[in-house]
Amino acid sequence: MGISYDRKAELIAFDETKTGVKGLVPRIFLVPSPENLNSDQELSLPTIDLKGIHEDPIRRKQAMEEVKDALGSWGFFQIVNHGIPVDVLEDMKKGVLGFFEQDSEVRKQWYTRDRSANRVVYNSNFDLYSAPVTNWRDSFVCRMYPNPPQPEELPPPCRDILLEYSSQVMKLGCSILELMSEALGLEPNHLWDMGCATQLQVTSHYYPPCPQPELTMGITEHTDAGFITILQQDQIGGLKVLYKDQWTHVHPIQGALVVNAGDLLQASLYLSISHASMYCFPNHQSRILITNDKFVSAQHKVVANKVGPRISVASFFLTDLMTQNPKVLEPIKELLSEDNPAKYRSTTGKEFLDYFYKKGLDATPALTYFKI
């Protein structure tokens, strides 16, 4: 890394190929110091069984307490018996693989850096020009809720399954938000009704095999920007979570999904609805209640791997970014006291995510910028 070179010129050259990591330019991927792939503590991420939570009150209370404990300490947990059929999970991974393994000339038609241009945005590293290091992955992003794309707007290899998978994830997200609401002492539908899932963004990642995985990263250390993320990963692994100042592997469980809290969930925000948007929330008291650091948005990363490709699908639950009347997010007064003062200044979802995308992925959470 000590050799001087024109990094921007090489980034542009890489970007203009529109072929992703398969057309790699090696130097732009090098991390400042080698990643130690074997020094992590061997702890197990909490695994929560959702079986029976809609029928058995005792089982539901147990799952709610487990969610509360996991998000208050780890910020992450895995779920089993979540209701999404195994064949849907497998078909989604196959669809993602099919997209990335198309001929590069076919794939290029989806390539763009304009997040507002298309319903599908394919590129390598959304923060290519702002991040200090280029990551060893390609991605495509689809906005799937509240206005799902028409089938012809989606890539053929994953067209049908992406619509089906997103529908299933939205249903599951509702169940998880119910458990989180109850963990905060709220009514089950509170977080859902207050807008914590007004937009669903499904991001599919492709990590090619890397000949020297210790010299690069799949995804740099970061926190997620939204409210919650539901992640499907394959059996190759590589996800690590920072827990008690040490990195811990998230070992894949067949058929399981990973759930984590994002920055907006951690920040204890409420949503003030403008007069123009009250038509969507007839109770006229609509607010997003989050957690004022009661739930943790944990740092995590993905290491590169000699085997692959690794496939993962991250479903981000976000606030609506497309409205002409942006919603103001600020600490909710009912959760504040002398012992628990506001920790974050007011913002909008758009301002927060614009800052997140501009900053890019690094070891500094976007929340830091909004702290009082």
Side-chain angles (χ1 to χ4, degrees):
M1 291 295 292
I3 300 174
S4 177
Y5 72 104
D6 188 341
R7 178 174 177 80
K8 184 174 182 180
E10 294 197 10
L11 289 172
I12 292 172
F14 167 71
D15 201 22
E16 288 181 346
T17 68
K18 300 184 179 182
T19 58
V21 175
K22 288 184 176 181
L24 64 89
V25 182
R27 285 189 294 192
I28 65 173
F29 292 93
L30 298 179
V31 294
S33 57
E35 175 76 7
N36 190 330
L37 301 177
N38 301 306
S39 64
D40 306 291
Q41 58 180 343
E42 288 299 325
L43 297 176
S44 295
L45 197 68
T47 300
I48 300 174
D49 189 344
L50 299 186
K51 185 177 182 179
I53 63 168
H54 298 296
E55 299 82 28
D56 184 346
I58 296 175
R59 191 56 213 99
R60 184 179 185 86
K61 184 177 180 180
Q62 179 184 354
M64 179 271 290
E65 292 292 346
E66 291 173 348
V67 167
K68 183 178 180 180
D69 291 344
L71 290 180
S73 54
W74 285 81
F76 271 77
F77 55 90
Q78 297 203 73
I79 51 175
V80 296
N81 293 316
H82 43 68
I84 300 182
V86 173
D87 61 337
V88 173
L89 299 177
E90 292 302 313
D91 286 349
M92 185 63 206
K93 287 186 290 189
K94 290 176 183 176
V96 173
L97 185 64
F99 172 83
F100 284 106
E101 298 201 337
Q102 295 177 105
D103 183 270
S104 62
E105 292 302 315
V106 176
R107 213 167 57 245
K108 282 180 182 180
Q109 67 179 302
W110 302 98
Y111 198 95
T112 181
R113 295 209 169 270
D114 185 351
R115 290 187 288 119
S116 63
N118 302 304
R119 303 299 290 270
V120 177
V121 174
Y122 155 59
N123 58 46
S124 183
N125 291 250
F126 75 87
D127 54 354
L128 183 68
Y129 295 103
S130 58
V133 174
T134 306
N135 290 166
W136 195 273
R137 78 180 187 286
D138 300 328
S139 310
F140 74 87
V141 179
C142 304
R143 296 192 305 272
M144 300 303 297
Y145 185 87
N147 300 307
Q150 294 299 311
E152 61 270 17
E153 295 179 283
L154 296 172
C158 54
R159 178 174 292 164
D160 295 334
I161 189 57
L162 188 52
L163 291 166
E164 172 64 18
Y165 180 80
S166 300
S167 175
Q168 298 263 4
V169 167
M170 282 298 298
K171 182 179 178 181
L172 175 60
C174 182
S175 296
I176 293 171
L177 286 171
E178 286 181 354
L179 292 175
M180 291 178 176
S181 296
E182 293 171 28
L184 293 170
L186 306 171
E187 291 298 315
N189 291 334
H190 201 106
L191 294 178
W192 181 266
D193 290 343
M194 296 307 115
C196 287
T198 53
Q199 186 174 124
L200 177 68
Q201 174 181 293
V202 178
T203 301
S204 301
H205 296 304
Y206 178 90
Y207 304 82
C210 180
Q212 294 178 291
E214 71 280 2
L215 299 183
T216 188
M217 290 296 300
I219 297 183
T220 306
E221 176 183 347
H222 68 287
T223 57
D224 289 349
F227 293 105
I228 62 171
T229 304
I230 298 178
L231 175 76
Q232 179 185 184
Q233 60 172 342
D234 63 18
Q235 294 301 297
I236 290 177
L239 175 63
K240 295 184 179 183
V241 174
L242 189 64
Y243 178 66
K244 294 185 177 180
D245 297 322
Q246 295 189 61
W247 289 105
T248 301
H249 283 280
V250 179
H251 296 290
I253 299 174
Q254 187 70 39
L257 296 168
V258 179
V259 179
N260 66 280
D263 288 346
L264 290 180
L265 191 68
Q266 177 177 331
S268 182
L269 306 174
Y270 85 80
L271 178 58
S272 299
I273 305 299
S274 68
H275 178 75
S277 56
M278 283 183 178
Y279 296 105
C280 300
F281 298 92
N283 63 8
H284 295 265
Q285 298 292 326
S286 299
R287 296 172 295 181
I288 290 181
L289 302 181
I290 321 297
T291 65
N292 205 34
D293 290 355
K294 291 180 182 177
F295 291 165
V296 178
S297 177
Q299 295 272 5
H300 53 288
K301 62 184 178 181
V302 175
V303 296
N305 204 308
K306 285 187 176 181
V307 300
R310 177 183 184 263
I311 299 295
S312 70
V313 183
S315 299
F316 298 100
F317 288 76
L318 306 167
T319 187
D320 188 4
L321 305 180
M322 310 306 290
T323 178
Q324 296 299 313
N325 300 289
K327 301 162 185 176
V328 177
L329 303 168
E330 57 187 351
I332 180 167
K333 296 175 177 60
E334 287 88 338
L335 294 183
L336 303 180
S337 66
E338 290 185 6
D339 296 328
N340 185 37
K343 297 181 180 181
Y344 305 95
R345 68 171 177 84
S346 63
T347 183
T348 64
K350 184 177 187 306
E351 181 193 9
F352 188 91
L353 289 174
D354 282 349
Y355 174 75
F356 176 85
Y357 283 115
K358 181 180 178 181
K359 179 182 74 70
L361 300 183
D362 56 28
T364 305
L367 270 182
T368 303
Y369 179 75
F370 296 89
K371 275 202 168 185
I372 295 175

